[in-house]
Structure formats: C-alpha cells, structure tokens
Amino acid sequence: MSIMSPRLVSLVITAAILSYTNGFASTISGTSFVNNRVPTTTKLGSTTETSHEIVRVDLSDDRDYPIYIGAKFSEEESAKILRSHIVGNTVLVVTSDRIASFGHLDRYEKILKDSDPDLRVEVLVLPDGEVNKTIDVLGLILTKALELALDRKSTFVALGGGVIGDMVGFASAIYQRGINFIQVPTTVMAMVDSSVGGKTGINHPLGKNMVGAFHQPQCVFIDTNNLSTLPNRELQSGISEIIKYGLIRDPTFFKWQEDNMSRLLDRDVDALAYAIKRSCENKAEVVKEDEKEAGVRATLNLGHTFGHAIETGSGYGTYLHGEAVAIGTCMAAQMSARMGWIEPKLVKRIYDIMDAANLPVELPLDSPMNQKTFTKLMSLDKKVANGQLRLILLKGELGGCLFTGDFDEKAMVDTIDDFVAECAGE
C-alpha cells in the first residue's frame, strides 16, 4: 500500500482546511448578555439504578448529542454507552504519552474491545502538551488513519485533555471530509469547556487555535474518576473556565464557587461533579443559541483575547491555558472598571476567587510581554471583524457581559500598560 509522505500529508491538510472553512461572518458589534437561562439536566435512562446524568447539546439537523457525567460508571456501562455512539466497526483511540502512562489508554482500549468482539480498536499515542498542538502532529493522526485504511464509517476517540480533543476533533473534521468522533476528556479544562461545542483546531506560530473547524462529537463521556491522575496545577487551570461561567451568565454559580473553592481544590467528588455539570449546562445552552460563535457564544471567551496573546507571546507551554485566561480575565475586569462598566467591588471579588483557586492574577517580572506584543497578537484574534478588535467585557451586575468593538481604546492601552509595567519585555 502506498503511504503519503509527511510533506504531502501537510499539503493535504492545508487543502482540506481551505475546503472545510465554514463561511459565516459576524457583524455584531455590541450585544449584551445578562443572566441567561440555564437548561435542566436529565437522568440517564437505564433499567439499573444510576447516579449518572446527561446534559444534552441541542443542535439543528438531528446533530444533538449527550454529555454523560458520572463518577460511578462500571466498565460494562461505559462499554455500552460508548459502543452506542460508534456507527461502524472500527475506532482509532488517540491519546498522549502522558495520559497513556497513567493507565487511561489501557483501560479504555479494554472497555472498547469488550463492548463488541467485532469492533476493531486501533490506538495512536502522540507527544503531550500545547507545544505539540501543531500541523505536523496533526499529520500523524491522518497518516495513521491512512495506514490503517480507515473509511468514513470509522470513529476517532479523543482520550485526553484539551490539546488531544482539539486535534483529534480537527482530524476527524478533515479526514475524508468528515468522520465521527467521540470526546473522552481527562482534565477539568476539557470536561467543562473544550470537549463541548465542536470547536476543534491547532495552533499556528503566529496565533493560538487559528487553524480549525467547527465539528461536533457524537457524544462526550465524562468519568470524573479520570481526574484522579490530574496534577494540581492542571486542576486549578481548569477551574478558571468554571469561574468564567459564573462571571458571564450565572451569578448563583459564582457565589457557590466562592463558598466551595476549597472543596474543589480538595477534589471533593460531589463538588467537582456539580461544578462540571453546571458548567456543561451553561455551555450547552450557549452552543444551542449560537453554534458558530456569531454572537452569544463569543462571551465564553471572557479573558481569552488577552490570555491567548499571553500564551503565544510567552511561548506555548509557558502557561497552561487556564492560567493565561485567569490573567486575561483580570485584565478584562480592570478594563471594564476603568470605563465605569463594573464596580471596583466586583473586580475585587474576581481577584479574590482567582487567588483562592491558586491562579495567577498578574504577569511575572520575567515576562516577555509588552504593549507592542499584546497589540500585535490581539489584532490576530478570531473575533476581529473587518479589522476591528472586539472584546468580551463585563458590564453591570455580576453575570452581565458585553461582546463589543465599541470600547474606550485608551482604557485597553492603559490596562495593558499596567500589567506589563514591570515586565522584562517592557
């Protein structure tokens, strides 16, 4: 069998990216979203008693899919659920070397094989980390699929955190112009954010997540026991995305976080389960309203425009995503307060909850970031429309936010200046 060279694979990827691009444009310049409704959660239908729950992501064209959430999945139940979302008879499980070393790959490979004796289960282990979220590593997935002669009835399974989920989802979007995939997240970040909603992609040296596609999974399978191997730093990074939901649309949830942050950091099973479920409910509702980020979904990027600039400008891997977003959220809060959109007491609550979660709230002295770097990288943000930078900022009471290009540019410049004032890059 003739296999394409890595160079040819890269060319194929580039062509597929161009052909897959979803043509939509957002002209929304100032849309407010305050205390939006959160959907309900339903119990998993089963003849046996179970505490597992389902949050549904409701989409058009019969593309709805479930998010299964639980801490007591038996291997038999896991097998039954996963097999029910595999259309064909072949799966490719893709994970990272670090996740495989924790035993997750062996476990899920066995679960899938036990689900159906006729199911062909193949595996691919990739190098771990944000630094490997590249077109070259993406090519490894496509090359493996081609070597195995996988067809359109095959299913990719993303087993890991946000990097693996994003890359496997993107590979499934462009392989043979689109095949099915399943998300099995193993980090808080992936469970509450990146595995839900169909955003997939890779990084480019000039910008984070700048190459990708919207491609929804068949299901998201969240077993919170997978968090037992998660380092504390990554747990804290994921919590930053949980905090986001409270700030932009769910003030009751934010207050719960303030009261229960120590339980989350101590990995209390009930607290984690509630935080993950509530986060998924919030995201599912937003994705239902705005699947391709033309309006309300953009608010899920609170702190991300500043944060992505920090990740890129500091070098991929220097910060975990949630750490950069935490700093970015503090920058967005400070900027909002400068314009009189929120009260100083809300800014203090934001700093306090970030501190309680052991998340950074400022740039270190050795940071290479400066005003010029921020401005350049933010100009490449995916929310820029017709050359105009648009930001997600906070406005009004807790739970209110604004996606807008109509802001005081001086407030943004002054905020950046404050954050980089003592940095080495300045």
Side-chain angles (χ1 to χ4, degrees), residues 95-283:
T95 192
S96 72
D97 48 13
R98 188 167 68 99
I99 295 300
S101 72
F102 293 146
H104 294 305
L105 176 58
D106 289 343
R107 177 169 179 253
Y108 280 95
E109 186 178 5
K110 180 180 183 299
I111 286 172
L112 288 166
K113 287 180 176 178
D114 290 347
S115 72
D116 182 350
D118 295 324
L119 184 66
R120 174 188 173 199
V121 181
E122 303 286 352
V123 301
L124 174 64
V125 179
L126 300 176
D128 189 66
E130 190 79 29
V131 69
N132 292 303
K133 191 178 177 182
T134 66
I135 195 167
D136 291 332
V137 177
L138 176 72
L140 298 178
I141 304 175
L142 301 177
T143 296
K144 183 70 172 181
L146 289 167
E147 289 175 342
L148 295 171
L150 300 188
D151 59 29
R152 285 181 171 174
K153 292 295 184 182
S154 302
T155 297
F156 290 172
V157 176
L159 174 63
V163 171
I164 288 293
D166 283 3
M167 285 202 298
V168 175
F170 188 32
S172 71
I174 62 176
Y175 183 70
Q176 298 195 359
R177 296 190 176 91
I179 66 170
N180 291 342
F181 84 110
I182 291 171
Q183 291 271 19
V184 184
T186 60
T187 67
V188 173
M189 176 68 68
M191 290 178 181
V192 304
D193 186 61
S194 62
S195 70
V196 179
K199 277 189 179 182
T200 72
I202 55 174
N203 296 332
H204 187 279
L206 296 181
K208 181 178 171 64
N209 292 334
M210 292 302 292
V211 183
F214 288 97
H215 187 60
Q216 301 291 347
Q218 296 303 297
C219 76
V220 180
F221 184 78
I222 298 176
D223 185 343
T224 57
N225 286 317
N226 289 335
L227 298 177
S228 63
T229 59
L230 190 70
N232 287 334
R233 183 184 173 196
E234 292 193 36
L235 174 72
Q236 295 154 15
S237 174
I239 288 174
S240 72
E241 294 285 1
I242 294 174
I243 292 170
K244 166 192 71 181
Y245 292 113
L247 285 173
I248 65 170
R249 69 192 313 270
D250 195 345
T252 301
F253 186 29
F254 185 85
K255 180 62 168 64
W256 180 91
Q257 294 169 37
E258 289 179 314
D259 295 339
N260 291 276
M261 187 56 68
S262 62
R263 293 177 63 201
L264 292 175
L265 295 177
D266 289 341
R267 300 171 188 254
D268 179 273
V269 174
D270 292 336
L272 278 173
Y274 175 75
I276 292 168
K277 177 176 73 76
R278 191 66 170 168
S279 297
C280 287
E281 288 173 336
N282 273 290
K283 185 155 191 182

